[in-house]
Each structure stands twice: as C-alpha cells, then as structure tokens.
C-alpha cells in the first residue's frame, strides 16, 4: 500500500468511505467502528473491510483474509510515525520500502460525499421545505457518533436547517455513555423532543452513519420496514431515479414483506437475501437492484454499495417536499393503499452462546419435522395454521453462491410470519432475535398497537422456543 486516504480528524461515515472508494477507484477501505454498540475503553470496537466496489467484503474475501492471516510470520511497524489528522492535504514519509514516498492524504470528511448527494437530490426543493414560507421544523440527533459534521454541513449549512435543530453533534469516543442505536429504546432524547409537537420531522443516526430512524410530529414512529416500502413507493420524488429508472428491490429475509406489496404494483422483482449488506452488492453491481434495505434501519440504493442513513433522511425530506403532507399522513396513506404490516422484533441479548445455539438447534428440529406442517395454534380468538417452514437458504442469482442456515421461518396461511435468527455480537455473548409480522388490509384496523396485534404470534413463538424457560429471562432486552 503506497497511499492512504483518511478523513479529517480521523472521521468518515461508512457511506462516505464507500463514496470515496468508488470516486478514487481505491483498492478498498478499512473502517474502525463500534457501529451501534456501546463504545469507549470498555465497549465494543470493530474493523470493517470494504472492497473495491465500496461495499462490505463478501464471505469469500473475508475467508481468504483469514486464511492468509494464519500464514503470516512477521510484520513491520513504524512506531515513530506521526500523522497530523487535522491538516488537510498530503503528507509524505520515507518508510524504506518500494513505495517511495509513502503518501497519506487527509481529506475533507464531508466534501466528496456531499457532491454525490447534490447529483441525486433536488436540494432547492429540500431547502425550500426547511426555509420557505411553509417550512417544517426538524430535529436531528447524531447520537455523538461521526454524523455530527455531516448533519451540520449538509442539513444546516447547505440546506438551511437552523443550527439548534441538530443535537449531539460532537463525536465522542464513548458516544456519551449510551449505545448510538437509532431506535425507540436508545434515541430517547429525540423521542421526547418530538413528542412535544414542536417539530414536524425527526431523525437519528447510528455511530457510523449507515442507519437511521424516522419520527413524525408528536413522536409518530415509522418502523424500518414501512420506511423502506414508503421510499420505494415514492422514488419518483428523487431526480436520480427519474433518470436511472428502477430495476428491482432487495430486502433481508427478516424485513417485513411491505416492500413486496409495492414491488408488485410497480412490476419490479424483489430479492430476499440473508441479513448483511454484502448480499446486496452483487445484485446492485449486476444491475438487478436499485433500492434495498433491512429491518434494522439500514437502507440504501445503487448510488453506493453501503447502507446510507443521511441519504434515507434526504429521501424522506424530498417526499415531504413533493407531497406536502406530514410524516403521519404519508404513512397512513401508504397503509390505506397497500395495507399495514404490523411488525416487531424482540432481542434477547447477551445470551450464553451454547444456550442460544441449542435453542435454535432444537427449534429447527421441531419446525422442520413433517408433523409440524399444517399444525394449528389457537391463541384466544385467533387460530394460526402453519403453511410452510424452513431454515432460510439463499442462492445468489449472480454467481450461484449458496448461503445456508440464515434463520428459521414459520409462515402461516394468513401470510403472518415468525422468524428466529441468531446474531453473534461477540465471541462471549450472543443475541437471539424473534421477528413477528401480521398483515392487515382493512384501513379500519390500522390504528392498533403492534404488540397487541402480534401478541398471539408472540405467544406461539415463546411456546415453541421455550426461550424464557431455557434462559431464565422474563422478557427480551430490547423491543423494536
């Protein structure tokens, strides 16, 4: 390696890294991040490797890196090397190797990424929404991650939002002592501000800027699956898609099927992938997929090969500007047209990995047994008939790669779904996630609380998994 590009003060969002890799045709990129986990000396620290298309390393690359790591016999370091991360421009060093000199270039963290956004959106329409006679007041929470400079520069300086509409914009090593996870559990400061009714639009970002959350006036919550579907249904509000067209959609398997309803109307294909953004990269590189997303508030398009939180927020602002409706009105109009997908995710965090493994093993044996097919569950006044079950397997339509054991699915005859998936957050603990989804077409039934609607499904999930009995838990750690 003869040249490194580093964001000023060591800060770049994940989508900005993807943008720069693609712009300068770099060999790849390294992101040091806690993502949405607690940070600081006692918190999480991760390394993400991006390949030359600007997307996460696929399994074949990660496996190759691991194999090479086992054969390394030595490495060289430069203990006295000092790089001024605050000074823009090139710094050159003689490291006595074949690259003479070794070049480090400090770039504006926001600039290249901002130029890309200018080519995608109608900035004047968004600026008029935020500053014009019928302006909307917004509240944006950077959650003390890297998004502070982006929020200040793009939403405030470029698009005219008042400086006091942005909060927690100073990046902190420990994110202020709270997980920078943009959901109702952790983005409590934003939620309380929105509940006051002063702001018409609110958004929060995770620590590295690839995930987001949307709130409307009075704290109206837009779940991630609905957000993805609403963005898909309103792509005509974005100049980029008017020019490039829409070729297909992608969603992770646990994400609700709300996107599928939109795709059917638009007559475009939907690709159902395992969880992990790397599975979307092949689809986008091959021209099959224009928009993709995950239930954890990761959403993006083929403008990059990473999920992009700020891009998603600008899409929402573009939709508000074009439709001249509130967030809640847009969501309710969407439900009236496509139906509502009631949806919840329940996270059982910090489980002993062996316990979690055996719960999933026994559950797989239960639901894939022939006797489980067409079984009926009666909960209160509801009866659920099993239509099919499986352990999700994905065959990449581009290269034929097969990825197995990506979650357990129970699909009922009324299209309701239960999904169980393991998410290993570290080598010493595991997270077991339960997803419940129920579809309701009747608009008169669209005002219910999701957990109330989904309680029969949740009861079935707890009964067959025995998760409370086997873990000693009384409930999940996080509900989203």
């Amino acid at each position: 390696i003869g040249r490194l590009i580093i964001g000023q003060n060591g800060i770049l969002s994940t989508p900005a890294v993807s943008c720069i890799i693609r712009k300068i045709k770099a060999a790849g990129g390294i992101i040091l991040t806690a993502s949405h986990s607690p940070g600081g000396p006692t918190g999480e620290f991760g390394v993400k490797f991006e390949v030359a298309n600007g997307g996460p390393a696929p399994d074949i690359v990660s496996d190759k890196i691991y194999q090479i790591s086992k054969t390394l016999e030595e490495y060289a370091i430069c203990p006295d090397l000092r790089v001024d991360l605050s000074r823009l421009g090139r710094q050159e060093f003689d490291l006595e190797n074949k690259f003479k000199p070794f070049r480090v270039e400090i770039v504006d963290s926001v600039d290249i990424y901002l130029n890309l956004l200018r080519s995608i959106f109608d900035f004047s329409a968004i600026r008029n929404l935020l500053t014009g006679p019928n302006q909307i007041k917004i509240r944006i929470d950077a959650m003390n991650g890297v998004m502070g400079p982006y929020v200040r520069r793009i939403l405030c300086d470029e698009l005219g939002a008042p400086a006091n509409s942005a909060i927690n914009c100073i990046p902190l090593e420990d994110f202020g002592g709270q997980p920078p996870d943009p959901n109702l559990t952790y983005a409590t400061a934003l939620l309380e501000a929105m509940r006051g009714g002063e702001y018409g639009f609110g958004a929060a970002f995770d620590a590295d800027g690839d995930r987001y959350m949307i709130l409307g006036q009075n704290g109206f919550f837009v779940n991630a699956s609905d957000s993805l579907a609403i963005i898909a249904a309103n792509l005509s509000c974005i100049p980029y898609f008017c020019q490039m067209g829409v070729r297909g959609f992608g969603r992770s398997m646990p994400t609700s099927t709300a996107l599928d309803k939109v795709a059917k109307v638009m007559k475009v294909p939907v690709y159902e992938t395992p969880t992990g953004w790397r599975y979307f990269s092949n689809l986008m590189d091959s021209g099959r997929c224009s928009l993709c997303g995950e239930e954890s508030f990761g959403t993006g398009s083929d403008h990059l090969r990473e999920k992009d939180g700020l891009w998603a927020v600008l899409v929402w602002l573009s939709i508000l500007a074009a439709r001249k409706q509130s967030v809640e009105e847009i969501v309710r109009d969407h439900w009236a047209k496509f139906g509502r997908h009631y949806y919840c995710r329940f996270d059982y965090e910090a489980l002993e990995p062996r316990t979690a493994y055996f719960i999933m093993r026994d559950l797989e044996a239960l639901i894939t047994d022939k006797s489980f097919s067409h079984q009926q569950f009666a909960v209160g006044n509801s009866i659920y008939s099993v239509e099919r079950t499986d352990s999700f397997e994905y065959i990449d339509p581009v290269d034929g790669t097969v990825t197995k054991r990506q979650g357990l699915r129970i699909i009922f005859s009324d299209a309701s779904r239960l999904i169980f998936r393991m998410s290993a957050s570290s080598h010493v603990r595991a997270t077991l996630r339960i997803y419940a989804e129920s579809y309701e077409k009747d608009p008169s039934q669209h005002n219910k609380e999701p957990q109330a609607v989904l309680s029969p499904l949740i009861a079935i999930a707890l009964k067959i998994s025995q998760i409370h009995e086997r873990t000693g838990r009384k409930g999940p750690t996080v509900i989203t």
Side-chain angles (χ1 to χ4, degrees):
I1 302 298
R3 181 185 177 199
L4 291 180
I5 308 294
I6 303 175
Q8 190 174 23
N9 299 314
I11 289 177
L12 280 174
S13 71
T14 290
V17 172
S18 179
C19 176
I20 293 172
I21 289 171
R22 295 171 66 81
K23 176 74 174 178
I24 69 171
K25 295 180 170 56
I30 297 170
I31 305 172
L32 312 178
T33 175
S35 186
H36 55 277
S37 301
T42 60
E44 296 288 340
F45 184 81
V47 180
K48 295 197 292 189
F49 183 67
E50 310 279 87
V51 291
N53 71 351
D59 291 344
I60 189 171
V61 173
S62 298
D63 291 343
K64 183 70 172 179
I65 291 172
Y66 173 62
Q67 293 303 322
I68 292 173
S69 76
K70 295 194 294 186
T71 66
L72 294 177
E73 296 180 352
E74 63 178 1
Y75 62 88
I77 62 174
C78 301
D80 299 324
L81 189 65
R82 294 291 180 268
V83 178
D84 184 354
L85 297 178
S86 67
R87 179 167 60 87
L88 294 175
R90 295 178 179 178
Q91 302 172 45
E92 296 186 344
F93 307 89
D94 183 4
L95 303 184
E96 298 181 351
N97 60 17
K98 63 181 179 179
F99 297 110
K100 293 188 177 181
F102 178 73
R103 179 181 298 161
V104 177
E105 188 171 343
I106 309 301
V107 298
D108 185 307
S109 299
V110 183
D111 197 50
I112 296 174
Y113 173 70
L114 171 56
N115 284 331
L116 175 64
L117 295 181
R118 286 192 184 109
S119 71
I120 294 172
F121 296 101
D122 181 349
F123 268 25
S124 62
I126 301 175
R127 191 179 299 110
N128 187 60
L129 175 74
L130 300 180
T131 64
N134 299 311
Q135 65 184 254
I136 185 174
K137 290 188 72 173
I138 68 173
R139 186 77 162 177
I140 309 295
D141 191 346
M143 299 193 80
N144 295 122
V146 303
M147 287 304 292
Y150 296 85
V151 170
R152 293 284 192 207
R153 176 89 167 274
I154 297 172
L155 287 173
C156 298
D157 297 347
E158 183 82 11
L159 295 171
N164 63 5
S165 61
I167 61 173
N168 297 319
C169 285
I170 299 175
L172 301 174
E173 291 180 0
D174 66 349
F175 313 124
Q178 181 163 298
D181 202 351
N183 59 42
L184 296 178
T185 302
Y186 296 117
T188 52
L190 176 67
L191 181 60
E192 287 306 310
M194 294 302 298
R195 280 177 173 163
E198 179 183 355
Y199 301 97
F201 177 86
F205 299 105
D206 74 338
D208 53 5
D210 56 9
R211 299 192 302 116
Y212 69 105
M213 177 180 72
I214 300 296
L215 294 174
Q217 194 167 25
N218 303 316
F220 182 85
F221 173 64
V222 186
N223 80 41
S225 297
D226 279 348
S227 180
L228 174 62
I230 289 165
I231 287 173
N234 290 277
L235 289 179
S236 60
C237 298
I238 314 301
Y240 175 85
F241 292 102
C242 294
Q243 178 184 352
M244 302 295 291
V246 179
R247 292 177 292 279
F249 299 140
R251 65 165 175 84
S252 63
M253 180 272 288
T255 302
S256 95
T257 53
L259 180 68
D260 303 44
K261 299 285 186 183
V262 177
K264 186 176 181 180
V265 170
M266 294 178 66
K267 295 181 171 59
V268 298
V270 176
Y271 299 91
E272 187 178 32
T273 72
T275 296
W277 205 259
R278 61 192 180 277
Y279 296 104
F280 295 130
S281 291
N282 260 7
L283 298 173
M284 291 188 284
D285 283 348
S286 67
R288 287 172 166 84
C289 186
S290 302
L291 171 75
C292 44
E294 300 176 327
E295 50 74 33
S296 57
F297 270 124
T299 305
S301 84
D302 57 357
H303 70 291
L304 293 177
R305 295 299 179 267
E306 268 289 0
K307 48 197 167 191
D308 189 343
L310 187 51
W311 171 89
V313 166
L314 292 178
V315 171
W316 264 96
L317 291 174
S318 299
I319 295 170
L320 290 170
R323 294 185 52 163
K324 297 178 172 55
Q325 291 176 292
S326 70
V327 170
E328 183 171 352
E329 287 170 338
I330 289 168
V331 173
R332 293 195 180 279
D333 278 1
H334 184 89
W335 289 343
K337 181 176 181 179
F338 296 99
R340 180 174 183 181
H341 293 254
Y342 285 98
Y343 184 86
C344 269
R345 187 185 89 193
F346 301 82
D347 291 0
Y348 291 84
E349 297 181 322
L351 298 180
E352 199 279 316
R354 281 178 58 84
T355 300
Y357 167 80
F358 284 119
I359 290 173
M360 289 293 289
R361 185 200 64 177
D362 295 345
L363 186 59
E364 180 175 0
L366 172 69
I367 71 165
T368 56
D369 189 274
K370 287 184 178 180
S371 64
F372 193 84
S373 299
H374 309 296
Q375 188 168 331
Q376 288 190 332
F377 293 90
V379 184
N381 296 324
S382 303
I383 297 178
Y384 292 87
S385 299
V386 177
E387 185 171 284
R388 62 187 176 93
T389 64
D390 65 8
S391 176
F392 182 65
E393 177 179 300
Y394 177 66
I395 302 174
D396 192 304
V398 180
D399 59 20
T401 303
V402 178
T403 308
K404 298 183 177 182
R405 304 179 74 88
Q406 293 299 302
L408 304 176
R409 296 191 295 181
I410 303 173
I411 298 162
F412 298 94
S413 57
D414 66 349
S416 296
R417 300 195 307 163
L418 277 175
I419 294 163
F420 302 81
R421 193 177 72 85
M422 280 273 287
S423 177
S425 49
S426 76
H427 68 287
V428 295
R429 62 189 186 190
T431 297
L432 198 156
R433 293 187 165 130
I434 300 176
Y435 309 80
E437 176 184 0
S438 182
Y439 177 68
E440 179 56 68
K441 179 64 176 174
D442 183 358
S444 70
Q445 302 298 311
H446 288 172
N447 292 316
K448 298 180 178 180
E449 281 297 317
Q451 288 187 53
V453 174
L454 297 168
S455 60
L457 282 172
I458 297 161
I460 296 169
L462 296 178
K463 178 181 178 181
I464 63 176
S465 67
Q466 296 289 293
I467 189 169
H468 289 173
E469 292 83 350
R470 297 179 69 168
T471 63
R473 299 283 180 88
K474 293 183 179 179
T477 320
V478 178
I479 301 173
T480 58

